[in-house]
Amino acid sequence: MRSAFFLQRVYDKLTHSFNFGLLDAKLSELQLKRSEKIDPEGPCLMFSAYETKYLANTYMYQDMTVDYVYRMWKSKSDLSKFTPLPLKTKERVVLKRLEKNKRVNENCRGLFTMSKWLANDMIENMGLPPEKIHYVGGGCNIDTNLIDTSKKNGRRFLFVGKDFERKGGITVIEAFKILREKYNDIELYIVGSKDIPDNLKNISGVYNPGLLPYKEVAELFNLCDFFVLPSQFEAYGIVFAEALIFGLPCIGKNIYAMPEFIENDFNGYLINDNDPEELCSRMEQLLQERGRLVSNVQNMRDAYIKKYSWRSVVLRMLDVFRRDGF
């Protein structure tokens, strides 16, 4: 079956090319023009919007849409600064891209999404037909041989994110400061952030090792007990899947795809606002309910590994291809 062969090639590429769950695969127009060996009668997969002769049999896979980004940008909401559209961007350039994406959305065979919230947004706010939208999830590339729970002490929190403010880092440190007044032996590790405000540096119990290679990040997943990332904008958030696979109950915001990873009071907690007091309360609950929550997460490890694997994503895509007659 040519579609299965093609998707196996895609699966192999995703598995071996994308480290730590970051998907950045852009096919250029030139590459597409050279793809004459792809059977135009079979399904094709792309990660960015290109108008090709295969479009009628093409599925686009994405974690975000230009349409959503444009709406946030135009609304001048707080989220606008977290999208890849600087305020100086000329609107005519954005509209041109938006129109191109609209044509691709209308003429392609189907649209794969990493998250359920994006699939719903496409239907409810972009007016796309539900039968064309397919939630297939996203995968992460974790070496499960690196998992080691022997170093945990039940008192360490972990934050992983490059964009400190967007990921809720300010709220996390402020909440940690409050909590440490009651639990003076707890620790917080901030990984990947360089833009921490000066007034939030050198806080007792807070460690900031900065950007780290994957194996060192894995060591911190092993060292820490809880994962805290109350992000203000999170298109997907595969880092939550990574945390769960490493056995860490999580705290996130009750927006975007975060509720798809976190089941409140089962494998973590969801908060509603950027309120240090609310977050502090939930972090304390993690400490108090650690045994139950950790047990829940560890019992689900095999299910998480399967659900958030690229193989599972590809199998979901293949199911769609078969239903569409390929």
Side-chain angles (χ1 to χ4, degrees), residues 144-279:
T144 54
N145 292 320
L146 296 177
I147 298 175
D148 177 8
T149 61
S150 65
K151 299 178 183 179
K152 299 183 184 297
N153 66 5
R155 319 298 277 181
R156 301 187 184 108
F157 296 86
L158 177 64
F159 171 100
V160 178
K162 290 183 179 180
D163 191 336
F164 183 74
E165 184 177 354
R166 174 169 72 85
K167 298 287 185 176
I170 293 176
T171 307
V172 171
I173 289 184
E174 293 293 352
F176 178 81
K177 287 164 57 179
I178 298 170
L179 189 61
R180 205 164 195 270
E181 294 177 2
K182 186 173 182 179
Y183 302 90
N184 60 15
D185 59 345
I186 60 173
E187 298 173 342
L188 170 64
Y189 291 79
I190 306 286
V191 178
S193 298
K194 289 185 176 181
D195 55 345
I196 300 176
D198 289 340
N199 66 316
L200 294 179
K201 294 179 179 178
N202 302 315
I203 303 295
S204 181
V206 178
Y207 303 92
N208 178 26
L211 291 171
L212 297 173
Y214 169 69
K215 285 191 175 181
E216 291 185 34
V217 176
E219 289 176 6
L220 284 174
F221 273 118
N222 284 329
L223 181 70
C224 294
D225 304 273
F226 314 107
F227 185 74
V228 185
L229 194 79
S231 186
Q232 299 183 63
F233 173 79
E234 199 70 49
Y236 186 53
I238 197 64
V239 69
F240 287 102
E242 292 162 348
L244 291 171
I245 290 171
F246 271 94
L248 282 68
C250 301
I251 293 179
K253 289 283 288 293
N254 194 24
I255 52 175
Y256 297 103
M258 286 174 276
E260 298 174 30
F261 295 98
I262 302 172
E263 185 178 347
N264 213 33
D265 201 35
F266 177 79
N267 62 2
Y269 297 103
L270 295 165
I271 64 172
N272 296 309
D273 299 305
N274 302 322
D275 179 4
E277 293 284 354
E278 180 188 11
L279 179 56

Side-chain angles (χ1 to χ4, degrees), residues 43-46 57-61 109-110 112 320-321 324 326:
C44 299
L45 182 67
M46 66 180 175
N57 290 336
T58 293
Y59 298 76
M60 186 162 65
Y61 180 45
R109 186 63 176 266
F112 292 134
V320 174
F321 291 165
D324 285 351
F326 291 108

